[in-house]
Amino acid sequence: MRRFLPDNFTLMLVAMIALASLFPVSGIAADYFGLATKVAIGLLFFLHGARLSRSVVIAGFLHWRLHLTILAATFVLFPIFGLAAGSLVPTILPASFYTGILFLCVLPSTVQSSIAFTSIAGGNVPAAICAASASNIFGMFLTPLLAGILFSASGHVGFSLDALLSILLQLLAPFVLGQILQPLIGEFIRRQKKILMPVDRGSILMVVYLAFSDSVNEGLWQTTSLRDLAVIIGVDIVILALVLTTTMYGSRVLGFSKEDEIAITFCGSKKSLASGVPIATVIFAGQSIGSIVLPLMLFHQIQLMTCAVIAQRYADARKKKKAAEALAEPAKDKSNLPVKAVG
């Protein structure tokens, strides 16, 4: 039952939405808070770069077939399903939320949860580390590019060179700086995980509060109904189910091992809230992004609950297989004993 309950971070996100709904920041205070948020996001991506070991980056190129499969699921399969969801606009799905669905579909994979679920299920953890990390690195380029392509195809605003430059300056530059300094500070930062965790989560919470403050000031909740929320949740669930099914059974068809299948299933079906919210503030700068990040925030919790169940089932199946092999081993040993001659 516990696996179906929201995690602490999700509860904090809900608290930020409630706080923004009741006490939205505005005016000069919003300007200063926005500046502080940009600094926090820069620090977040600097720490991402400093944590990522060079050996992980190099190892990522060795199992290229698995990594290409995961990247294809993340940046090809998801966008295809996102475009298909456009058939629901505007009769079922409001256009403003469809922008959020499309944005969700071009985001990179998560890092922490992809690795955690792969480990629980008994999958290829080193491959998961490399694939999830590579997804986030490529996402800094691919997400704004794909967003421009998909938004143009669906009648939205096309690709903006300014958005790409902002991504490079605000997100990629701190990440590269962290990678440069990684040999000097990487080990120290990895040891300070508990101390630095508030920087990770705090920056996301700041962005969510600022985003929803802007949206509340522009009347988000006056134009959003419970039906809209139910439709968004339904679309999120359908897209996740389609991707999970495709990655799980597709990896088997492609001949991957069970361990690789697990890594592909979890890394290929995730979307990163930690990367998505900061990227949204850059791509959609000057716009009300509350309705854009709402589908992502809902997807975040749905994917955690669903993948927790799947990971446990993989783990249970692995235990049963080991138990069966252990029982079969004595019988096999007995059958190999020499037969004593009669008489």
Side-chain angles (χ1 to χ4, degrees), residues 66-146:
L66 178 142
H67 298 314
L68 283 179
T69 302
I70 292 173
L71 287 173
T74 305
F75 296 113
V76 178
L77 190 62
F78 261 106
I80 289 173
F81 292 143
L83 284 175
S87 61
L88 303 176
V89 180
T91 53
I92 298 176
L93 182 65
S96 59
F97 292 116
Y98 177 56
T99 301
I101 294 292
L102 279 180
F103 177 66
L104 154 72
C105 289
V106 299
L107 287 173
S109 178
T110 62
V111 177
Q112 288 89 346
S113 61
S114 294
I115 297 168
F117 286 131
T118 300
S119 176
I120 292 170
N124 189 337
V125 175
I129 294 172
C130 297
S133 302
S135 177
N136 275 261
I137 295 171
F138 288 125
M140 294 184 197
F141 299 98
L142 292 177
T143 292
L145 286 171
L146 288 173

Side-chain angles (χ1 to χ4, degrees), residues 129-277:
I129 294 172
C130 297
S133 302
S135 177
N136 275 261
I137 295 171
F138 288 125
M140 294 184 197
F141 299 98
L142 292 177
T143 292
L145 286 171
L146 288 173
I149 293 170
L150 291 190
F151 293 159
S152 296
S154 59
H156 290 71
V157 179
F159 173 73
S160 168
L161 183 60
D162 290 340
L164 178 59
L165 291 175
S166 296
I167 290 282
L168 295 177
L169 289 174
Q170 296 184 36
L171 307 183
L172 185 60
F175 179 87
V176 172
L177 179 60
Q179 262 291 287
I180 293 173
L181 297 177
Q182 190 274 332
L184 300 176
I185 64 174
E187 190 61 36
F188 171 77
I189 288 178
R190 284 189 289 271
R191 287 200 306 266
Q192 308 303 318
K193 183 177 180 180
K194 290 185 178 179
I195 298 175
L196 295 174
M197 185 178 291
V199 176
D200 284 4
R201 297 190 170 187
S203 59
I204 305 303
L205 294 174
M206 289 172 68
V207 172
V208 168
Y209 174 68
L210 183 63
F212 276 89
S213 289
D214 291 340
S215 298
V216 168
N217 289 330
E218 295 183 12
L220 173 66
W221 299 127
Q222 282 72 36
T223 58
T224 303
S225 65
L226 290 176
R227 175 189 173 278
D228 293 336
L229 291 175
V231 169
I232 295 169
I233 292 172
V235 172
D236 280 351
I237 290 173
V238 170
I239 290 177
L240 178 61
L242 289 172
V243 174
L244 280 169
T245 302
T246 305
T247 52
M248 187 180 297
Y249 292 100
S251 59
R252 297 176 188 176
V253 172
L254 292 173
F256 284 101
S257 67
K258 179 61 71 173
E259 289 76 16
D260 287 347
E261 173 196 320
I262 292 170
I264 292 169
T265 298
F266 290 120
C267 295
S269 63
K270 295 286 192 310
K271 288 297 177 178
S272 175
L273 180 69
S275 297
V277 176

